[in-house]
């Protein structure tokens, strides 16, 4: 087999996983009217939800192509399942996909996938870009930051055996190390995290109606190239800060050839003495360690122009926190040292080099503790976590950032973060919870996650709240979680402090959400309440949310089987909810407790409206979970005979794929 192709084993696995399944081919045609979407939907269906962004999203399956449309598919470990909208276009060498610009643009972002190297580690391959058939620019695509395999925390080796043979796995419904004869587990095992993305300045401004063609050259060593989508944007000129500590004056190298970390440190020290900002002019600055920030403002020329980029560096010995690597990042001082204050970071990009998940490593784009601070207009990719904060800390505002292609989370408030805001951020392709508030040891209090867009988290949830007091999740758009998670999760787990005060989940939209839970062998809800380590009994109000095209349930309330008789979920209030399409039920209850429902409208429900198993005790008095009808619940899903606690338990009801969402 030529070196340019996958090995036979990888190719066979790709076919088995649906990566190379041959769906119907699209055909080339003349220019088509541009189809602009948000989360692969008509923007009218999600108006007022999610982040306001500068770019227009166009899905490849809506463009003109000589390639093949793949999908739809919501099965984990397949290329269409990880694509935005669960569809994409596969190109062979010589094939193309062509997008018509919906507005003036001078920059594009391409989300794509190419094969891994046969032994792992990734390959590079070209993609030609032309506009209106003019001058060709070649992007160099890479799979070096994609293609993880196996069980958590995953492997870069497609040939690796099970990382945890003592764990139960769905594939054999067994614990392999305790099974005789031992099961044969296909390799590569559970391939995932296939996509990456790249940005390109086009060199001039093009008009609405101009045609951007992406072509795989005939000589590409990538047997296939999958294009998921194209974002087009009109990027303004670089920002200039004439009265600032310019890092070039301190020896920083804008070509990226020499390390600029020391020069940036010196510019920070000078700026603090003189009361100035630090300015990073256009360029690429090599930084291979943390830049410590405290009482300083650092701004760039814009995240398309100023890039701070670094390698992941192995430490000679593990650090006290367990890190075995360091890498590019801007870090506040640890909370144990008092943290940092008055830090303001804006208008630059951070590009890391993280290719594997090592949870002890501090290789995040932003880290430490930062109070009374702002982070605005950054673009972060290829770090472990975009921003991870270990409190206590207070009054941090995170706004207008783009965080993509992370090995783990995008933003995590961990331990004692209060009075802080995460707003108008765009997040795509995280390897764990995209946005999380984790109240481990100390409660997160009085925080708001508002009007953010989250797309295609590969593992876990779009937005997760683990304990805490008086927090708000509002106005967000969450689409296409892939595996073992939901769009929104409220969980008593991971050692979190209890929920207290009030939790508001208000005005959010979820799309194509509710994944398959490997360990339980069931489908999850788009909104998932999970009582694992204690009761969930705060004042929780779920108001004004839309749950669209739910793969399984819209709402699930569940406890782990081993503690099902210990913990309950009580007093959750649902009001002014719209559910458009469920594969199974509107509500699935697998726990003790209660909830109220008012003006909850549902249509296109695939199974009984309420799948009420309670805690599986099935007493003669009815389910251990009760539902209260407060009126106005339309669509017939909450029929009188279901109330208050009729047992309607179907442990794994058949899935009826719902129709596409439509205007209400």
């Amino acid at each position: 087999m030529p070196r340019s192709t996958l090995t036979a084993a990888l190719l066979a696995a790709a076919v088995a996983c649906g990566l190379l399944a041959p769906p119907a081919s699209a055909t080339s045609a003349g220019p088509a009217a541009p189809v602009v979407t948000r989360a692969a939907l008509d923007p009218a269906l999600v108006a007022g939800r999610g982040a306001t962004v500068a770019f227009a999203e166009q899905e490849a399956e809506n463009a003109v192509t000589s390639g093949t449309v793949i999908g739809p598919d919501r099965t984990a470990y397949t290329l269409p399942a990880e694509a935005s909208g669960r569809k994409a276009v596969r190109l062979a060498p010589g094939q193309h996909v062509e997008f018509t610009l919906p507005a003036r643009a001078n920059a594009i972002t391409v989300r794509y996938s190419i094969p891994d190297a046969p032994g792992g580690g990734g390959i590079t391959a070209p993609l030609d870009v032309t506009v209106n058939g003019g001058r060709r620019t070649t992007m160099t695509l890479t799979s070096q930051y994609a293609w993880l395999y196996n069980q958590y925390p995953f492997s870069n080796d497609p040939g690796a055996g099970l990382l945890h043979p003592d764990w139960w796995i769905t594939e054999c419904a067994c614990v392999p190390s305790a099974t005789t004869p031992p099961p044969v587990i296909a390799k590569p095992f559970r391939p995932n995290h296939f996509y990456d993305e790249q940005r390109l300045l086009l060199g001039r401004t093009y008009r609405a109606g101009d045609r951007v063609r992406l072509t795989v050259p005939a000589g590409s060593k990538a047997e296939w190239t999958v294009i998921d989508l194209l974002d087009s944007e009109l990027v303004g000129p670089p920002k200039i800060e004439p009265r600032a500590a310019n890092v070039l004056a301190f020896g920083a190298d804008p070509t990226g050839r020499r390390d600029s970390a020391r020069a940036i440190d010196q510019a920070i020290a000078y700026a603090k003495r003189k009361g100035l900002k630090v300015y990073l002019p256009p360029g690429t600055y090599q930084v291979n360690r943390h830049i410590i920030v405290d009482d300083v403002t650092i701004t760039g020329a814009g995240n398309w122009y100023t890039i701070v980029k670094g390698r992941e560096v192995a430490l000679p010995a593990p650090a006290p926190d367990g890190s075995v690597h360091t890498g590019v990042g801007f870090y506040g001082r640890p909370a144990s040292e008092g943290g940092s204050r008055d830090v303001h970071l804006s208008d630059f990009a951070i590009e890391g080099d993280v290719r594997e998940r090592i949870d002890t490593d501090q290789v995040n784009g932003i880290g430490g503790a930062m109070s009374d601070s702002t982070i605005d207009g950054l673009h972060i990719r290829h770090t472990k976590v975009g921003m991870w904060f270990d409190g206590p800390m207070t009054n941090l505002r995170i706004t207008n950032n783009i965080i993509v292609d992370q090995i783990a989370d995008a933003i995590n408030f961990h331990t004692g973060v209060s009075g802080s805001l995460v707003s108008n951020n765009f997040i795509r392709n995280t390897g764990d919870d995209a946005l999380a508030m984790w109240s481990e040891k100390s409660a997160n209090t009085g925080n708001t996650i508002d009007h953010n867009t989250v797309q295609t988290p590969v593992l876990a949830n779009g937005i997760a709240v683990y304990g805490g007091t008086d927090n708000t999740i509002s106005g967000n758009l969450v689409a296409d979680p892939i595996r073992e998670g939901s769009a929104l999760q409220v969980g008593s787990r991971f050692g979190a402090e209890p929920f207290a005060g009030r939790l508001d989940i208000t005005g959010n939209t979820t799309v194509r959400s509710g994944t398959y839970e490997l360990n339980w062998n069931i489908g999850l809800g788009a909104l998932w309440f999970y009582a694992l380590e204690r009761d969930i009994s705060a004042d929780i109000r779920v108001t004004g949310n839309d749950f669209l095209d739910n793969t399984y349930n819209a709402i699930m309330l569940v406890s782990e089987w081993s503690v099902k008789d210990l913990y309950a979920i009580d007093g959750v209030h649902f009001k002014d909810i719209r559910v458009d399409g469920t594969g199974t039920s509107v509500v699935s209850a697998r726990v003790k407790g209660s909830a109220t429902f008012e003006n909850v409208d549902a249509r296109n429900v695939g199974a009984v409206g309420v799948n009420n198993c309670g805690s599986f005790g099935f007493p003669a008095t009815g389910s251990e979970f009760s539902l209260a009808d407060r009126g106005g619940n339309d669509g017939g899903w909450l029929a009188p005979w279901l109330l208050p606690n009729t047992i309607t338990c179907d442990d794994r009801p058949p899935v009826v794929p719902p129709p596409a969402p439509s205007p209400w």
Side-chain angles (χ1 to χ4, degrees):
M1 181 175 290
R3 293 174 61 88
S4 62
T5 64
L6 290 171
T7 63
L10 271 176
L11 184 60
V15 172
C17 291
L19 306 187
L20 297 177
S25 296
T27 58
S28 291
V35 179
V36 175
T37 57
R38 293 185 63 214
L41 286 178
D42 179 348
L45 294 175
V46 293
R49 308 287 170 91
T52 300
V53 295
F55 56 81
E57 170 193 282
Q58 293 176 268
E59 296 284 341
E61 62 268 22
N62 297 327
V64 174
T65 184
S66 59
T68 304
V69 175
I70 59 173
D73 189 358
R74 301 192 193 187
T75 307
Y77 320 124
T78 70
L79 272 165
E82 288 193 19
S84 171
R86 314 300 181 120
K87 292 182 182 180
V89 168
R90 187 176 74 243
L91 304 177
Q95 293 182 326
H96 69 268
V97 59
E98 185 173 274
F99 301 84
T100 301
L101 291 176
R104 296 171 68 231
N106 58 7
I108 59 171
T109 298
V110 179
R111 186 170 193 251
Y112 67 90
S113 179
I114 59 174
D116 197 2
I123 64 171
T124 60
L127 181 70
D128 290 342
V129 181
T130 58
V131 183
N132 299 331
R135 182 178 63 88
R136 182 179 71 237
T137 300
T138 299
M139 303 175 73
T140 299
L141 309 183
T142 182
S143 54
Q144 294 165 329
Y145 299 97
W147 289 88
L148 298 178
Y149 306 91
N150 223 292
Q151 299 154 297
Y152 175 90
F154 316 115
S155 169
N156 297 122
D157 180 5
L162 293 176
L163 296 182
H164 304 284
D166 56 332
W167 288 7
W168 186 92
I169 60 173
T170 304
E171 286 78 3
C172 66
C174 72
V175 177
S177 64
T179 302
T180 304
V184 176
I185 304 300
K187 300 176 184 177
F189 183 59
R190 296 181 180 172
N192 70 96
H193 213 279
F194 305 119
Y195 286 87
D196 204 348
E197 57 187 69
Q198 284 197 37
R199 304 193 297 171
L200 177 67
L201 287 167
L202 297 172
R204 54 159 288 192
T205 298
Y206 292 92
R207 299 168 300 179
D210 286 344
R211 303 183 310 281
V212 177
R213 176 173 290 198
L214 309 179
T215 303
V216 180
S220 175
K221 65 180 178 181
E223 181 167 338
W224 48 264
T225 299
V226 168
I227 304 297
D228 180 23
L229 55 77
L230 180 128
D231 295 331
S232 56
E233 180 176 350
L234 184 62
V235 178
K239 277 179 45 182
I240 299 172
E241 290 281 353
R243 189 177 180 277
N246 189 317
V247 296
L248 299 183
F250 298 86
D253 177 11
T255 71
R257 290 191 290 268
R258 290 183 290 106
D259 193 296
S260 293
R262 186 168 180 269
I264 295 173
D265 287 342
Q266 290 176 330
I268 290 171
Y270 179 83
K272 291 173 72 171
R273 291 196 303 270
K274 299 295 185 179
L276 298 172
K277 296 179 180 179
V278 173
Y279 176 54
L280 299 166
T284 297
Y285 300 90
Q286 182 189 151
V287 173
N288 304 308
R289 60 167 172 82
H290 300 168
I291 300 294
I292 304 302
V293 290
D294 187 14
D295 188 23
V296 66
T297 296
I298 303 175
T299 190
N303 65 50
W304 281 87
Y305 300 110
T306 299
I307 301 168
V308 183
K309 184 174 183 176
R311 301 186 306 273
E312 186 177 76
V313 178
L315 298 173
D321 62 9
S323 294
V324 295
H325 298 92
T326 189
V328 61
F330 290 78
Y331 273 63
R333 300 187 186 281
S336 60
E337 299 176 8
S340 292
R341 281 179 168 74
D342 200 23
V343 175
H344 306 282
L345 307 175
S346 63
D347 295 316
F348 58 90
I350 301 172
E351 292 192 9
D353 186 34
V354 178
R355 309 180 189 198
E356 59 184 337
R357 179 160 178 168
I358 302 174
D359 282 344
T360 55
D361 272 355
Q362 285 286 348
V363 286
N364 306 319
I366 309 287
M370 297 180 189
S371 295
D372 303 321
S373 297
T374 60
I375 301 171
D376 183 80
L378 303 189
H379 185 283
I380 304 177
R381 69 172 185 152
H382 295 161
T383 58
K384 186 182 81 174
V385 176
M387 305 182 194
W388 180 287
F389 299 99
D390 292 300
M393 51 179 277
T394 190
N395 190 28
L396 173 66
R397 298 178 65 86
I398 302 172
T399 54
N400 308 313
N401 303 285
I402 296 174
I403 305 175
V404 296
D405 303 328
Q406 300 296 302
I407 288 289
D409 307 25
I411 300 172
N412 194 310
F413 283 176
H414 177 230
T415 304
V417 179
S418 65
S420 294
L421 173 69
V422 178
S423 180
N424 208 62
N425 302 283
F426 181 88
I427 295 158
R428 189 160 56 202
N429 195 36
T430 57
D432 212 310
D433 295 331
L435 299 172
M437 287 194 278
W438 179 15
S439 294
E440 186 182 33
K441 300 177 184 176
S442 178
N444 294 315
T445 304
N447 303 302
T448 298
I449 294 177
D450 178 72
H451 279 87
N452 304 280
T453 295
V454 173
Q455 291 183 247
T456 61
V458 176
L459 176 71
N461 306 285
I463 302 175
V465 185
Y466 305 121
T469 303
D470 294 331
N471 296 302
T472 298
I473 311 298
S474 58
N476 302 284
L477 170 59
V478 184
D480 296 310
I482 310 302
R483 170 183 152 195
E484 296 177 78
S486 295
L488 307 170
Q489 187 191 134
V490 177
S492 65
R493 56 190 308 198
F494 304 128
E497 293 296 298
F499 287 96
R502 179 163 156 176
L503 174 63
D504 279 303
I505 301 173
T506 304
N508 305 282
T509 295
T510 73
V511 186
R512 296 177 299 272
S513 298
T515 66
Y516 172 67
E517 218 298 329
L518 282 171
N519 301 302
W520 295 337
N521 192 27
I522 62 171
L524 300 176
L527 171 58
W528 174 22
F529 290 85
Y530 184 24
L532 174 62
E533 296 172 351
R534 61 177 81 233
D535 292 336
I536 297 177
S537 57
D539 181 5
I540 300 177
R541 305 190 187 188
V542 183
T543 308
N545 302 278
D546 294 345
F547 301 111
L548 309 181
D549 197 356
N550 304 277
T551 306
Y552 298 99
N553 314 286
I555 299 162
M556 172 173 274
L557 307 101
V558 64
S559 182
E560 168 68 36
W561 180 266
S562 61
V563 295
K564 67 183 179 63
D565 297 321
L566 299 179
Y567 304 131
I569 300 174
D570 266 314
V572 185
H573 307 288
F574 297 91
K575 183 178 180 180
D576 300 334
I577 306 294
R578 293 190 295 190
V579 176
D580 190 355
T582 70
T584 54
S585 300
V586 175
V587 174
S588 178
R590 306 168 69 91
V591 66
K592 296 187 296 184
S594 64
T596 68
F597 298 86
E598 181 179 357
N599 294 333
V600 177
D601 299 343
R603 64 187 185 190
N604 301 314
V605 177
V608 63
V610 180
N611 185 16
N612 195 342
C613 297
S615 59
F616 293 89
F618 305 130
T621 53
S623 169
E624 301 92 339
F625 191 89
S626 62
L627 298 88
D629 182 352
R630 290 189 171 174
N633 299 298
D634 294 335
W637 71 275
L638 190 59
W641 65 270
L642 293 167
L643 301 168
N645 61 337
T646 303
I647 296 171
T648 54
C649 186
D650 187 345
D651 198 32
R652 293 173 179 85
V655 175
V656 179
S662 59
W664 200 264

